[in-house]
Amino acid sequence: MNKDIFISIKGIQITLPENDAVEVISKGKFYKRNGKTYVSYEELDESNEVIKCMLKYDDNRIEISRNTAGMNTCLVFERDKYCTSSYKTLFGNMLVGFNTKKMDIIETEKSVRIDIDYSMDINYSYVSDCNVAIRIASEYGDL
């Protein structure tokens, strides 16, 4: 795959009676180093401020980190494991837990597909079941 890529990250929070879906599509950089794959990209927040992001993964672990306004957050998903992260917001820190139920990573010469099913809790209180679909491709049409 080329160094310059497109990335789509679509998250779905499964709640009753509606599902909340959010999708981000951006250009980024793709590279591999020491058995891990890295994708750097930027997204905009609600006030159109640039957020620098990094996706890092291997066969068993996926990390999505975001850096905005001096606040760093990192979401960690490990195959068949429960992971917690301190999620920094303007209103303070929250402890967010992710119980990864399914994690599929499929790489081809032209694209990468990552699908994660997990449950999420905040401060050890269950919030919802969720899904993240990540697509990485050299061409926009291959997302």
Side-chain angles (χ1 to χ4, degrees):
M1 188 174 336
N2 292 339
K3 188 175 187 176
D4 295 317
I5 54 88
F6 291 91
I7 182 169
S8 165
I9 300 177
K10 184 175 185 178
I12 300 173
Q13 185 173 351
I14 303 165
T15 57
L16 296 175
E18 296 180 17
N19 295 342
D20 282 336
V22 175
E23 184 174 17
V24 172
I25 298 174
S26 183
K27 290 183 178 181
K29 300 285 184 190
F30 177 94
Y31 59 96
K32 293 188 177 211
R33 182 179 303 147
N34 298 327
K36 296 190 185 309
T37 302
Y38 298 82
V39 178
S40 62
Y41 62 99
E42 295 178 345
E43 60 184 65
L44 297 176
D45 68 8
E46 301 81 27
S47 61
N48 288 328
E49 295 291 323
V50 174
I51 303 169
K52 294 189 180 290
C53 304
M54 177 68 73
L55 170 70
K56 177 171 76 169
Y57 70 90
D58 61 24
D59 290 339
N60 294 304
R61 182 180 172 102
I62 297 170
E63 297 177 32
I64 303 171
S65 59
R66 303 171 79 223
N67 183 356
T68 180
M71 293 184 295
N72 297 318
T73 58
C74 185
L75 309 179
V76 178
F77 303 94
E78 285 192 66
R79 194 177 300 280
D80 301 319
K81 288 191 179 178
Y82 176 80
C83 297
T84 58
S85 296
S86 178
Y87 195 82
K88 296 179 183 179
T89 71
L90 294 173
F91 307 105
N93 291 347
M94 296 186 300
L95 185 64
V96 181
F98 304 101
N99 184 18
T100 306
K101 298 175 181 178
K102 181 183 113 184
M103 187 167 74
D104 294 327
I105 303 170
I106 301 168
E107 293 190 34
T108 67
E109 288 182 26
K110 295 175 80 176
S111 66
V112 177
R113 294 177 52 108
I114 299 172
D115 292 300
I116 308 166
D117 290 337
Y118 63 97
S119 62
M120 180 175 70
D121 63 64
I122 296 177
N123 297 327
Y124 299 107
S125 293
Y126 172 81
V127 174
S128 70
D129 290 323
C130 305
N131 174 272
V132 173
I134 301 170
R135 305 296 181 255
I136 305 164
S138 300
E139 301 290 330
Y140 182 80
D142 290 332
L143 290 176

